[in-house]
Amino acid sequence: MHKDIEVAALSISEYDGSIQDIKKVFSLQHMPVGTVRAGILDGKAFRKWWKGRSIPASRNGIKDVLEALNVDHSLLLIEKSMGLSLSDQYWIKPDGSDIAWKDVNYFDNAFSEDIGDMLFGMGRVSDDLDLASPDNTSDGVLKKRWKIINDGRYLIKGGSGQVMQEPFNEVIASIIMNSQGIDHVRYEMMWMEGLPYSACKDFITKDTELVTAYHFCEQVPRRNDESLCGHFCRLCEEVGMDPSPFLDRMLVSDYLMVNDDRHMSNFGLIRDAESLEYLGFAPIFDTGTSLGSKAVTHRFEESIPTECKPFKKSFKEQIGLVTDFNWMDFGALESSMDDVGKVLDENGFIGNERKEKILALLSDRMRELSALV
């Protein structure tokens, strides 16, 4: 289902939750972006899209949750919540059911926090366990969950390793992008049981959906003489959108943050779920894996990555794709460093030595960038 539009009749494996058979397609137009090419459904691409909807096996803590639930595959959890997500409007309706979208979608209706509690190591299996949650369709390897806060839908994400720097990085990226007027998802720090998390409000509504750059580019084969960036830009222009201002700002922010994880599923476009019209580019999100988050403090400088994603292998090459720097305000960027320092000081979680090295890294990137302008 796509909202209340019947899209396809499927049979789903009771063993591993995969799509066994695509029995009939009712609306090719409303199939997920990237699963139809030249007017023909690509069954392999559709199954890959479905699998990508599940919690990855690499997610921190998912193995323990599956063992506790006596579930062999995380794909099986999708059916427990009817495939509902807070990133788009796709779902699965049991054959013969008269359930309507308005009665089940998580934008309007409450959802269980049981699976989220278990993913965060705070819940246990019980007879009244309710697995109806958008947490079943959340991707990424970091610990994360959805919560309803003041009637808003918020994504809570944790960090990795002993330093758990990723939540701090999300907030720092928000500060930097805000100083430059860049459209972005605003992250705030949240502390639970003494550990840092980032929290952001869902930027998708019940009427819109996120189309990742990966799926957007999968619609049409890339030409032999075309770069990945050129392919993405061409498809954007074909739907009436100028990608240059968006890409300039994303590449600059990633350069400043030394973000080495801007893969093609970490940015994208927003479209109307009913008209299927593209409304604009998604605000920049998911900048946690940056600023040497994986580096050991005493070897911080030599551990800073030089390779990046998605268009070039090195930051030096990728920043060369920026077409215009005139929108940048280096004065505001410099002034934002005070707020960055305050974030790193919060609760004393990031040690002073690491804090000074992170601030020095940001200052170095700012100087390098100003030399290019």
Side-chain angles (χ1 to χ4, degrees):
M1 303 292 292
H2 194 206
K3 298 190 82 168
D4 281 317
I5 297 172
E6 291 188 347
V7 180
L10 315 171
S11 62
I12 297 174
S13 169
E14 295 182 356
Y15 167 69
D16 64 4
S18 64
I19 294 174
Q20 279 188 316
D21 187 24
I22 305 169
K23 296 179 176 295
K24 185 176 182 179
V25 175
F26 302 106
S27 175
L28 273 176
Q29 186 182 22
H30 281 270
M31 287 294 292
V33 175
T35 64
V36 176
R37 286 189 175 190
I40 300 173
L41 175 65
D42 184 330
K44 183 178 180 181
F46 181 59
R47 287 176 169 85
K48 184 177 180 180
W49 172 85
W50 178 253
K51 184 177 181 180
R53 208 166 177 75
S54 65
I55 301 173
S58 55
R59 169 79 64 81
N60 183 20
I62 185 59
K63 182 179 179 181
D64 293 336
V65 171
L66 294 178
E67 287 181 357
L69 295 173
N70 196 26
V71 173
D72 293 327
H73 304 276
S74 60
L75 261 176
L76 289 166
L77 294 176
I78 296 182
E79 194 173 353
K80 305 293 185 183
S81 55
M82 306 177 89
L84 291 158
S85 168
L86 281 169
S87 297
D88 60 34
Q89 321 302 336
Y90 288 100
W91 61 297
I92 49 175
K93 182 169 74 170
D95 190 25
S97 170
D98 60 356
I99 302 173
W101 166 252
K102 66 179 178 62
D103 299 321
V104 295
N105 79 80
Y106 292 141
F107 297 94
D108 295 318
N109 300 284
F111 49 83
S112 168
E113 294 194 358
D114 289 350
I115 189 70
D117 286 344
M118 294 188 71
L119 287 169
F120 272 45
M122 299 185 294
R124 296 181 179 179
V125 176
S126 62
D127 293 337
D128 59 349
L129 194 69
D130 183 356
L131 299 182
S133 166
D135 293 327
N136 296 331
T137 53
S138 62
D139 61 1
V141 299
L142 289 177
K143 183 186 295 185
K144 64 176 63 173
R145 67 179 299 179
W146 287 97
K147 285 184 73 70
I148 298 176
I149 303 174
N150 296 327
D151 206 34
R153 275 57 181 163
Y154 284 78
L155 183 63
I156 316 299
K157 293 195 300 181
S160 64
Q162 290 184 330
V163 180
M164 293 188 168
Q165 189 178 316
E166 290 88 348
F168 296 90
N169 289 344
E170 297 285 19
V171 179
I172 291 170
S174 291
I175 292 170
I176 289 175
M177 286 188 271
N178 187 60
S179 78
Q180 301 303 297
I182 298 174
D183 187 24
H184 67 284
V185 175
R186 184 170 180 265
Y187 289 84
E188 297 179 350
M189 291 298 296
M190 175 180 284
W191 294 84
M192 291 186 286
E193 298 184 354
L195 297 179
Y197 296 87
S198 66
C200 67
K201 191 173 184 180
D202 192 5
F203 59 88
I204 295 301
T205 71
K206 64 180 180 180
D207 299 313
T208 63
E209 57 194 5
L210 172 66
V211 177
T212 67
Y214 172 80
H215 288 117
F216 185 69
C217 288
E218 284 292 290
Q219 300 175 93
V220 180
R222 180 156 46 122
R223 297 169 182 167
N224 292 334
D225 62 344
E226 191 173 46
S227 68
L228 180 57
C229 184
H231 181 56
F232 175 72
C233 290
R234 174 170 64 88
L235 295 187
C236 288
E237 290 165 358
E238 288 179 359
V239 296
M241 296 173 60
D242 179 6
S244 295
F246 166 77
L247 288 179
D248 285 352
R249 287 155 177 78
M250 183 181 78
L251 296 179
V252 163
S253 63
D254 283 346
Y255 183 87
L256 286 167
M257 291 292 297
V258 201
N259 179 14
D260 62 332
D261 194 37
R262 183 66 68 196
H263 53 77
M264 294 294 284
S265 293
N266 263 358
F267 67 101
L269 302 89
I270 294 178
R271 73 170 183 171
D272 186 289
E274 294 188 8
S275 71
L276 307 184
E277 175 188 2
Y278 285 98
L279 305 176
F281 295 97
I284 297 173
F285 61 93
D286 209 352
T287 314
T289 307
S290 56
L291 294 178
S293 61
K294 293 182 173 63
V296 178
T297 301
H298 71 274
R299 297 189 61 194
F300 189 83
E301 290 83 0
E302 59 263 43
S303 302
I304 299 304
T306 57
E307 295 187 353
C308 63
K309 303 180 183 74
F311 302 125
K312 296 289 185 178
K313 288 187 177 180
S314 75
F315 284 104
K316 186 176 181 180
E317 289 179 298
Q318 188 156 266
I319 199 65
L321 297 174
V322 175
T323 60
D324 178 28
F325 291 100
N326 289 331
W327 51 273
M328 289 196 67
D329 184 341
F330 282 94
L333 191 59
E334 182 68 37
S335 297
S336 71
M337 290 301 101
D338 287 341
D339 290 329
V340 170
K342 291 176 184 177
V343 171
L344 292 170
D345 280 336
E346 190 164 336
N347 281 16
F349 199 86
I350 300 288
N352 191 61
E353 180 186 1
R354 191 175 186 89
K355 169 196 167 184
E356 294 304 322
K357 291 186 175 186
I358 292 171
L359 291 174
L361 174 60
L362 273 170
S363 295
D364 287 344
R365 300 299 270 202
M366 288 164 54
R367 282 194 295 271
E368 292 167 7
L369 198 57
S370 65
L372 298 174
V373 177

